[in-house]
Amino acid sequence: MKLKTRLILANASTVVIPMITTVIIALAVFFIFGKLFGIGFSYEHQQKQSMLKFELISETSTWRRTPEVFDEISYQKYLLEQLQAIHGEILLIKDDDIKFSSRNFSKIEVAKALEVGDIVGKSEHLSIDNTSYSVQKVDIKYKDGSLGVALLLLPVDHENGINSLLILLVVSFILTFAFTNIIVLYQFSRSIINPLHTLQSAAAEIAKGNLDYSIGEEGDEEIQALCRDLELMRIKLKDSVHTQLKYEDNRKLLVSSISHDLKTPVTSIKGYVEGILDGIASNPEKVERYLKTIALKAHQIDQMIDDLLLYAKLDLNQIPFDFERIDIVGYLQSCILEYEPELERNHIGISFSNELNQQQHVLIDRERMRRVIMNIFDNSCKYMMSHGQGEISIFLRDTVSSIIIELRDNGSGIEERDLPHIFDRFYRSDAARYKGSGLGLAIAKQIIEGHNGRVWAVSHGKEGTSIMISLSKS
């Protein structure tokens, strides 16, 4: 239920329910006391009493227009029946003589009735035979010019009953109104206040750093939406903290890996420099060999730093890609020609198999994609350094929407447990890491994903490994 609807229903119920309850109580009182106990303030009784009053008091009443009607037996019978139903009495006086009465009145009773009827405030009552009556007096003028008075006596108990009924109804309305408000407040506590307390507790737990405190959906629609938003906020905050901790761990790993990777070439450079300074390199040929080694180690350090900077820029999306539509077959052949001399020096052969049925184009950055191919070639060479005659095979095939490039080597292979991690930076294992910066495949993955592509590895056991690249067709 919506909160707005609940508020409308709550406000309406605080008025409608007491009114309905009061009406039911009034009807019950009319029925019980009017029917079962014979107390005359039932609805029928009040209706008859009101009709008689109207007939007597109204300016257009029959008594006023034609008082001679009292002479008719049928009207007298009708009037007596009406008076009997409400336990009332009537008295008609003409020229100080009783013209008609519903019972025998003494002269004293007649005098008292006339005296009470003359009182303006009607606060006085007439007591006859232990019964109190209120007196309604109307002056009557006959057609012959004579004057008369009609007195209607109504039991005061009836009026007291009406007053008691009104008091009862007012008290019932007040009590029902109070009870209804208590019920509505209780319902609000369950549907609104309790969920808000739950949200307050959850906010307090989150403020303490307890991001595992889940927030359930309860209450009305608006509060449930608030719970969902806060739960989503908690999840995102938890992910953010987790990512931050992961970045912190990566930073520590980065520092540790850089220190480890730089220590070996720096130690070698330091050793060879000290050898030259100490005179260990006693002839020009040995000095030249030492210097070449120092230059090689310095180049390795420079390459490590370049790889680290490139990965950092790729990770922060600071390097823009210069995409162009190219023929994938010609592009791969140019990459093979460029790297083929390096493979020959390492005694590694290379082959290319084009399984495409027609010419296909892809949208890539030439330089960045070339870095991917070279990094994979370098990684393959590391696997095959002590594995006899090496061989790299490139297979090019397509699917409905993408181009698949497979670069397979016949190296020592990668353990199945290491396959999901070989594209992580600085991942170390005996099979997946030999030497270098440890960022080659990580850089390749970043570049491929920058092309909206996908890269993964397939192990062939001791027969080598395949690196698979998927690129969208252009």
Side-chain angles (χ1 to χ4, degrees):
M1 180 185 296
K2 291 186 177 180
L3 182 58
K4 181 179 179 181
T5 304
R6 183 178 294 277
L7 290 173
I8 294 174
L9 292 177
N11 291 330
S13 62
T14 56
V15 177
V16 174
I17 293 178
M19 290 180 63
I20 294 176
T21 305
T22 303
V23 171
I24 292 174
I25 292 175
L27 294 176
V29 169
F30 274 122
F31 177 79
I32 294 174
F33 291 93
K35 297 296 183 181
L36 299 183
F37 298 101
I39 297 179
F41 51 90
S42 65
Y43 174 77
E44 183 180 357
H45 169 82
Q46 298 302 322
Q47 187 181 31
K48 289 181 178 180
Q49 191 180 79
S50 298
M51 289 177 63
L52 284 176
K53 285 184 178 181
F54 180 79
E55 289 186 17
L56 176 66
I57 299 172
S58 174
E59 294 292 339
T60 60
S61 65
T62 303
W63 296 356
R64 287 179 180 271
R65 291 186 289 105
T66 55
E68 290 81 7
V69 73
F70 284 102
D71 297 331
E72 297 178 6
I73 300 300
S74 60
Y75 186 77
Q76 293 178 4
K77 183 178 180 181
Y78 161 77
L79 192 58
L80 291 175
E81 289 177 353
Q82 297 296 319
L83 289 170
Q84 185 178 3
I86 64 172
H87 306 286
E89 305 293 344
I90 193 170
L91 177 64
L92 180 65
I93 300 175
K94 179 181 180 183
D95 296 331
D96 296 330
D97 293 329
I98 297 176
K99 183 71 173 178
F100 172 77
S101 66
S102 58
R103 56 165 291 180
N104 292 325
F105 289 95
S106 65
K107 293 183 177 181
I108 296 176
E109 292 173 342
V110 173
K112 288 183 178 180
L114 290 171
E115 181 181 356
V116 172
D118 290 333
I119 297 175
V120 178
K122 303 295 182 180
S123 59
E124 293 293 331
H125 295 149
L126 175 64
S127 179
I128 301 176
D129 296 338
N130 298 323
T131 302
S132 294
Y133 295 93
S134 63
V135 180
Q136 299 286 342
K137 178 182 177 182
V138 176
D139 294 328
I140 298 175
K141 185 177 182 179
Y142 289 87
K143 292 181 178 180
D144 58 3
S146 59
L147 300 177
V149 174
L151 299 173
L152 179 63
L153 284 67
L154 299 175
V156 177
D157 291 341
H158 299 163
E159 295 182 357
N160 291 336
I162 293 297
N163 294 333
S164 300
L165 176 62
L166 292 176
I167 294 174
L168 175 64
L169 296 181
V170 171
V171 172
S172 299
F173 181 84
I174 294 174
L175 293 177
T176 308
F177 183 80
F179 181 75
T180 303
N181 276 271
I182 293 174
I183 296 297
V184 170
L185 180 61
Y186 175 73
Q187 290 295 328
F188 262 63
S189 297
R190 294 183 57 187
S191 62
I192 297 179
I193 298 177
N194 289 345
L196 291 179
H197 286 167
T198 302
L199 290 177
Q200 185 178 11
S201 301
E205 291 293 328
I206 293 175
K208 294 177 183 178
N210 182 13
L211 299 179
D212 293 325
Y213 190 92
S214 62
I215 303 173
E217 296 183 16
E218 56 180 314
D220 295 317
E221 292 182 12
E222 292 84 352
I223 299 181
Q224 290 181 5
L226 178 59
C227 291
R228 286 194 296 270
D229 292 340
L230 290 178
E231 175 67 6
L232 181 61
M233 180 195 71
R234 181 193 70 83
I235 294 174
K236 289 186 176 180
L237 182 60
K238 182 179 179 180
D239 293 341
S240 177
V241 172
H242 177 73
T243 303
Q244 184 178 359
L245 293 175
K246 183 178 179 182
Y247 283 159
E248 182 65 21
D249 292 338
N250 288 340
R251 185 188 65 80
K252 294 178 181 178
L253 178 61
L254 177 64
V255 173
S256 175
S257 300
I258 292 174
S259 301
H260 180 273
D261 288 337
L262 293 178
K263 185 176 182 179
T264 301
V266 168
T267 300
S268 298
I269 292 174
K270 182 180 178 181
Y272 282 109
V273 170
E274 290 177 352
I276 294 175
L277 295 176
D278 293 340
I280 296 177
S282 56
N283 53 67
E285 290 80 8
K286 200 169 186 179
V287 171
E288 183 181 1
R289 183 161 54 86
Y290 276 28
L291 291 175
K292 287 183 177 180
T293 303
I294 291 172
L296 178 61
K297 298 299 180 181
H299 177 72
Q300 291 179 359
I301 294 174
D302 186 60
Q303 185 65 40
M304 291 179 188
I305 294 174
D306 287 343
D307 287 346
L308 182 62
L309 291 176
L310 177 60
Y311 182 84
K313 291 180 179 180
L314 288 170
D315 198 29
L316 296 174
N317 295 321
Q318 292 182 347
I319 296 182
F321 289 96
D322 184 16
F323 294 107
E324 57 180 304
R325 188 172 181 269
I326 65 171
D327 176 20
I328 187 62
V329 175
Y331 179 75
L332 289 177
Q333 288 174 344
S334 66
C335 291
I336 293 172
L337 290 175
E338 181 180 346
Y339 203 75
E340 196 169 17
E342 181 68 23
L343 295 175
E344 290 178 354
R345 282 195 298 270
N346 294 314
H347 306 289
I348 297 174
I350 187 169
S351 63
F352 176 62
S353 176
N354 179 16
E355 300 179 7
L356 301 178
N357 295 326
Q358 58 183 359
Q359 188 180 33
Q360 297 287 356
H361 294 80
V362 291
L363 196 65
I364 62 174
D365 184 320
R366 286 179 177 269
E367 295 303 321
R368 304 303 174 200
M369 189 57 66
R370 181 176 284 104
R371 183 62 180 267
V372 171
I373 302 299
M374 298 310 166
N375 284 358
I376 295 175
F377 282 165
D378 288 340
N379 198 69
S380 297
C381 291
K382 296 170 188 176
Y383 289 122
M384 296 183 290
M385 286 300 184
S386 59
H387 196 69
Q389 179 63 38
E391 180 71 27
I392 295 177
S393 301
I394 301 176
F395 300 94
L396 184 62
R397 60 182 70 94
D398 65 342
T399 64
V400 176
S401 60
S402 63
I403 298 294
I404 304 297
I405 305 172
E406 178 183 358
L407 297 99
R408 177 171 179 172
D409 62 57
N410 62 344
S412 57
I414 301 175
E415 295 288 343
E416 288 291 339
R417 66 174 181 273
D418 297 322
L419 282 178
H421 307 290
I422 64 172
F423 294 99
D424 298 341
R425 57 183 178 181
F426 305 116
Y427 180 75
R428 297 178 182 274
S429 85
D430 294 338
R433 169 78 189 271
Y434 282 80
K435 60 182 180 178
S437 66
L439 292 172
L441 292 182
I443 291 173
K445 180 182 178 182
Q446 289 277 24
I447 294 175
I448 293 298
E449 291 179 350
H451 285 71
N452 294 322
R454 192 166 65 95
V455 60
W456 69 97
V458 177
S459 177
H460 303 292
K462 295 183 179 180
E463 297 181 359
T465 305
S466 290
I467 302 298
M468 314 293 292
I469 300 173
S470 174
L471 298 172
S472 299
K473 293 181 180 180
S474 174

